[in-house]
Amino acid sequence: FSPFGFGFSPFGYGFSPFGFGFGVPAPLLLLFLGGAALTSFRSARGIEASDKAGAALCLQVACYCDDRNDSLYGRLQSVARSAETQSYEGLQRLCSDSCLAMLRSSKDWLAGRTESTTAGLLTNDVETSYNRLVVQERSKWESEQGALTRSAPGQPTYMVATLVVLLRQGSELPSVSTAADLREAISALAADVSVEDNLLAAELLWTPEDGNDVMERDDLFLNFPELVNV
């Protein structure tokens, strides 16, 4: 069962090999993975064929969760339980609340990373960049699932959370080399997402998702090599 439930698309219903899905025009796909903290949504209103995406942004945060309840792990679980993704406002709130959860977990930050593509003279196909980011991060997520170890519920763990968004307009996120950079990047992404009708699509992933799974530090940096220590 996916913690995000079901979403809505104005484009009708479709089939996804990953679980329950709703049909949307290529190249964006709306899908749900049962039992996994992985979801991708196209916004439920305001999208027309003539719309052009202006920015594809990726933000990644790695933490050590000594107390799963009082950590990014627990906060994202809470965000997922209360998420209402059947409307644009609900999807926007999911992204905003995820950014807030990351900011509130700053004491546990170990590493971070950003990647940005914005429309310009040399880059016009921003949606393709978004899809590439989604596939790239999903692949890492799937690889990491096989490396997780089982433990008693609630044991401390390392974790990685990733938020990828497609926006009508947005600026490049700052590169991360310090905790201050990471805070600035999260705040900048939250600000862009909060602009009315700016969010086109979003993908939120984190691992481990199951309370019995534990990620080791070596596996964290092996499967997410782009992370930069902060």
Side-chain angles (χ1 to χ4, degrees):
F1 176 73
S2 170
F4 298 100
F6 295 88
F8 170 77
S9 167
F11 303 105
Y13 298 91
F15 173 75
S16 165
F18 299 98
F20 300 101
F22 298 81
V24 300
L28 294 181
L29 180 67
L30 178 81
L31 56 89
F32 305 86
L33 269 71
L38 172 59
T39 185
S40 180
F41 302 97
R42 186 100 186 228
S43 71
R45 70 175 188 182
I47 306 301
E48 299 177 356
S50 60
D51 284 331
K52 295 296 183 181
L57 308 177
C58 176
L59 174 70
Q60 200 162 63
V61 179
C63 295
Y64 179 69
C65 304
D66 185 51
D67 181 344
R68 291 214 187 194
N69 292 323
D70 184 23
S71 66
L72 182 57
Y73 176 88
R75 293 183 181 101
L76 288 182
Q77 292 285 355
S78 179
V79 167
R81 285 193 297 268
S82 61
E84 187 281 300
T85 56
Q86 295 183 358
S87 68
Y88 174 89
E89 291 79 6
L91 177 59
Q92 186 183 46
R93 189 173 303 111
L94 172 69
C95 294
S96 296
D97 288 349
S98 298
C99 290
L100 182 59
M102 293 176 184
L103 289 172
R104 288 178 172 172
S105 305
S106 59
K107 66 180 178 62
D108 299 322
W109 291 347
L110 296 175
R113 166 195 165 233
T114 61
E115 186 170 341
S116 309
T117 299
T118 56
L121 293 176
L122 301 178
T123 307
N124 290 316
D125 195 356
V126 177
E127 287 193 12
T128 296
S129 296
Y130 171 81
N131 291 328
R132 176 187 57 79
L133 284 168
V134 167
V135 171
Q136 172 183 294
E137 297 309 317
R138 191 181 298 153
S139 176
K140 295 177 189 175
W141 181 90
E142 291 171 349
S143 296
E144 177 57 31
Q145 296 310 295
L148 297 175
T149 58
R150 302 292 286 180
S151 70
Q155 292 297 305
T157 183
Y158 292 89
M159 74 168 291
V160 178
T162 306
L163 181 60
V164 186
V165 300
L166 182 68
L167 305 171
R168 295 180 192 273
Q169 294 183 339
S171 301
E172 288 191 5
L173 297 176
S175 299
V176 173
S177 58
T178 67
D181 294 336
L182 183 54
R183 183 180 299 277
E184 181 183 353
I186 298 171
S187 299
L189 181 56
D192 282 340
V193 167
S194 68
V195 176
E196 185 65 20
D197 290 326
N198 197 34
L199 180 63
L200 297 179
E203 178 115 349
L204 173 65
L205 309 88
W206 73 87
T207 182
E209 189 271 335
D210 192 292
N212 291 310
D213 286 340
V214 172
M215 179 193 293
E216 302 295 339
R217 182 183 178 92
D218 289 347
D219 291 325
L220 186 157
F221 289 102
L222 177 64
N223 287 315
F224 300 90
E226 299 91 349
L227 285 169
V228 177
N229 286 313
V230 297

